[in-house]
Amino acid sequence: MFKGKDIVSIKELSKEEINRIFEVAEEMIPIAKGEKKSNILQGYVLATLFFEPSTRTRLSFETAMQRLGGSVIGFTNPKATSISKGETLADTISIVDLYSDVIVIRHPFEGSARLAAEFAEHPVINAGDGAGQHPTQTLLDLFTVVREFGEIKGLNVALIGDLKYGRTVHSLAYILSCLDANLYLVSPSLLRMPKHIIRELKNKPVETDNLEEILDEIDVFYVTRIQKERFPDPTEYRKVAGTYRITRKLLSKAKKNSIVMHPLPRVDEISPEVDHLPNARYFQQAFNGVPIRMALLALVLGVI
Amino acid sequence: MEEEKTLKVQKIKNGIVIDHIPCGRALKVLKILNIQGDIGSSVSIAMHVRSRYGWKDIVKIEDRYLEERELNKIALVAPAATVNIIKDYKVVKKHRVEVPERIVGIVRCTNPRCITNQNEPLTTEFYVISKDPLIIKCKYCERDMEPEEIFENII
């Protein structure tokens, strides 16, 4: 089902495929933690092509490959490659495809992973293309929620912060809605979720700019960073940013078993005092990137 | 017959008549067919003429026939158009244009940050999300385009 499959957009994965990825990811957890050893990807080469900076995504892909016994080639500074000489992405991909068994790409232009998938014979995994898709982030977000609650259907999920530019929330909203979660879109009016994203949602979400008013209904708080540069007026930014700050006090009014997630990096939208509360899941979420990416690598390479 | 009653435009001997173009889009049809002043045959345009269903534009081009790619392009600006092929003053064939399921190589993506706008060896491709109103989605960047954007970006 998965051998040779490109992972470009979350929209191309069926419910069954997502369940299978989660099933394998669950088995990968002890290996991801280093408690068990595995060599199932020995002899395989992963190429990581990062045309844009990334910390967690790149490191977790590399960890995933190495934990399974595979090796990694790649670059993080395209200025030092032939791309700076004007080589097309298509050519770069065709060449790297000859050197590796699977390609992970992050690129500033939207649709670049689709291009890569067309030019490579080997499977391509999209690690973020501009403001477009970032399917492995969406999968690890979803995996975090599923591990916590077992079932997505009927869960009340609040997506909070920058819903306009934040690409992770676009794909996440799509998939949560496909799986029948109830969505609450909480953002300042300047940063509301674009209409074309809302149009694709299965059920109509609740849209509000007031987090307090829905606080006690929410199971999952998915918080995103509000970027200062989005606001023409710095005073306006400070006012807005403060409104969506997750604190111990705020969570004391929330459901007891609610969880707080964040794709990270955070600036000050979650107070550090929340890190030690039972609601905090963002570090667990970041760790889940490893087993999810291990599962994907093993599946697309056809060893499982 | 209706055409004869309402139009003051000469019949053509050989060529095509593109009929049922939505009002105001005749010039767009000429633009997408790349018809400028130097084609060596006559072009007649009738804009805002009465038809059975209201108002329409008509374009007549002498000594010119259309390839399928061009018919698809017309469908993007005039989804209900008919293309009549005229030989010796008679209609010998009538085509109804149709918006295809996939639009390949005839529209540029409106997203400046789409990989198809970056000098890569790619042909643009769009899925048709809705035919009326026409909404298409870029296969690469997944951005939706609405009618006005589509007209402006026909290659």
Side-chain angles (χ1 to χ4, degrees):
Chain A
M1 169 158 90
F2 273 100
K3 191 176 179 185
K5 188 176 173 72
D6 301 307
I7 310 292
V8 172
S9 167
I10 194 76
K11 295 176 188 168
E12 292 166 343
L13 292 171
S14 65
K15 273 185 201 174
E16 292 71 31
E17 286 171 324
I18 292 174
N19 285 338
R20 175 71 182 136
I21 295 167
F22 289 177
E23 203 178 280
V24 177
E26 198 64 51
E27 290 168 23
M28 293 292 182
I29 288 175
I31 310 169
K33 286 182 175 165
E35 295 163 2
K36 261 173 78 179
K37 302 291 170 210
S38 170
N39 266 323
I40 55 170
L41 293 185
Q42 190 173 26
Y44 288 95
V45 176
L46 161 69
T48 56
L49 312 184
F50 279 77
F51 293 84
E52 266 192 336
S54 153
T55 315
R56 273 164 306 280
T57 306
R58 183 174 60 81
L59 290 180
S60 67
F61 263 115
E62 295 186 1
T63 305
M65 192 65 183
Q66 291 179 6
R67 289 275 194 211
L68 294 175
S71 38
V72 182
I73 58 168
F75 58 79
T76 52
N77 179 9
K79 288 199 182 86
T81 68
S82 51
I83 294 129
S84 63
K85 297 174 193 156
E87 185 176 64
T88 61
L89 177 61
D91 275 3
T92 306
I93 294 296
S94 302
I95 304 299
V96 171
D97 191 38
L98 298 170
Y99 301 160
S100 57
D101 304 294
V102 54
I103 296 173
V104 168
I105 178 173
R106 167 168 293 188
H107 196 280
F109 290 120
E110 284 125 62
S112 48
R114 174 85 53 213
L115 172 147
E118 283 177 6
F119 280 84
E121 295 282 327
H122 291 109
V124 168
I125 302 177
N126 185 3
D129 56 347
Q133 289 275 332
H134 190 358
T136 63
Q137 176 73 45
T138 312
L139 285 169
L140 75 90
D141 290 344
L142 198 59
F143 183 57
T144 307
V145 180
V146 169
R147 288 201 83 213
E148 192 68 35
F149 294 98
E151 171 96 61
I152 301 287
K153 195 174 176 177
L155 275 185
N156 295 338
V157 182
L159 305 177
I160 304 162
D162 179 356
L163 306 186
K164 185 173 182 185
Y165 300 99
R167 69 177 161 204
T168 60
V169 286
H170 297 169
S171 312
L172 187 61
Y174 173 84
I175 199 73
L176 285 170
S177 144
C178 287
L179 299 171
D180 292 311
N182 305 315
L183 288 181
Y184 294 72
L185 307 178
V186 186
S187 69
S189 57
L190 198 65
L191 297 174
R192 285 172 78 164
M193 189 162 279
K195 282 206 168 58
H196 69 273
I197 306 283
I198 294 185
R199 195 164 55 208
E200 289 190 329
L201 302 179
K202 200 170 142 192
N203 303 309
K204 202 175 169 332
V206 175
E207 285 188 272
T208 175
D209 58 1
N210 187 344
L211 179 59
E212 297 255 359
E213 106 192 347
I214 53 152
L215 200 58
D216 57 353
E217 295 171 37
I218 301 304
D219 298 303
V220 179
F221 296 92
Y222 191 96
V223 188
T224 62
R225 187 156 53 100
I226 295 180
Q227 292 175 347
K228 213 183 202 160
E229 52 272 27
R230 305 289 184 209
F231 289 81
D233 177 1
T235 336
E236 184 66 15
Y237 161 74
R238 277 194 296 275
K239 203 167 83 190
V240 164
T243 319
Y244 300 105
R245 190 170 153 86
I246 307 288
T247 59
R248 180 192 285 268
K249 191 174 162 217
L250 189 94
L251 286 175
S252 67
K253 290 178 258 169
K255 278 188 187 175
K256 202 172 164 230
N257 64 346
S258 61
I259 62 168
V260 179
M261 295 171 62
H262 192 301
L264 304 179
R266 68 171 155 174
V267 182
D268 48 13
E269 48 291 341
I270 302 176
S271 159
E273 65 190 14
V274 175
D275 296 0
H276 306 292
L277 296 182
N279 317 72
R281 282 299 175 284
Y282 30 94
F283 296 129
Q284 178 66 43
Q285 180 189 356
F287 165 77
N288 285 343
V290 180
I292 279 291
R293 288 167 178 132
M294 288 166 91
L296 285 170
L297 289 168
L299 286 164
V300 300
L301 286 168
V303 299
I304 279 188
Chain B
M1 293 311 103
E2 167 207 317
E3 195 178 306
E4 279 177 11
K5 271 190 250 162
T6 55
L7 290 184
K8 305 280 183 285
V9 180
Q10 238 181 344
K11 279 191 160 189
I12 57 171
K13 186 175 178 191
N14 295 305
I16 51 167
V17 174
I18 307 168
D19 200 356
H20 301 292
I21 301 170
C23 263
R25 297 207 188 142
L27 293 175
K28 283 200 168 98
V29 168
L30 289 184
K31 189 179 164 215
I32 64 174
L33 294 178
N34 204 19
I35 288 171
Q36 290 158 5
D38 53 353
I39 62 161
S41 59
S42 310
V43 176
S44 325
I45 305 167
M47 293 176 77
H48 206 256
V49 297
R50 201 179 278 284
S51 87
R52 224 178 309 168
Y53 309 105
W55 301 90
K56 65 179 181 179
D57 288 1
I58 299 172
V59 168
K60 297 184 176 191
I61 311 166
E62 237 167 326
D63 301 320
R64 167 83 192 255
Y65 299 97
L66 296 179
E67 293 165 12
E68 195 181 332
R69 185 184 138 84
E70 292 176 305
L71 285 171
N72 288 343
K73 279 166 111 173
I74 291 175
L76 299 183
V77 291
T82 52
V83 179
N84 300 327
I85 299 176
I86 312 291
K87 283 198 174 140
D88 217 8
Y89 297 107
K90 288 203 175 79
V91 177
V92 293
K93 208 167 179 191
K94 223 174 184 157
H95 283 293
R96 240 208 128 88
V97 302
E98 205 181 336
V99 178
E101 294 300 318
R102 283 187 180 212
I103 294 168
V104 181
I106 53 177
V107 177
R108 196 180 301 111
C109 182
T110 188
N111 174 7
R113 296 192 62 80
C114 176
I115 195 70
T116 58
N117 288 321
Q118 314 304 328
N119 215 15
E120 293 289 337
L122 280 181
T123 306
T124 63
E125 191 169 337
F126 297 84
Y127 305 113
V128 175
I129 303 294
S130 144
K131 290 194 177 180
D132 187 22
L134 187 61
I135 298 174
I136 62 177
K137 185 183 278 298
C138 175
K139 171 184 158 187
Y140 291 89
C141 73
E142 300 185 5
R143 174 81 65 97
D144 285 358
M145 284 171 72
E146 294 183 355
E148 276 309 313
E149 293 172 307
I150 298 169
F151 304 156
E152 294 306 315
N153 286 286
I154 292 175
I155 303 167

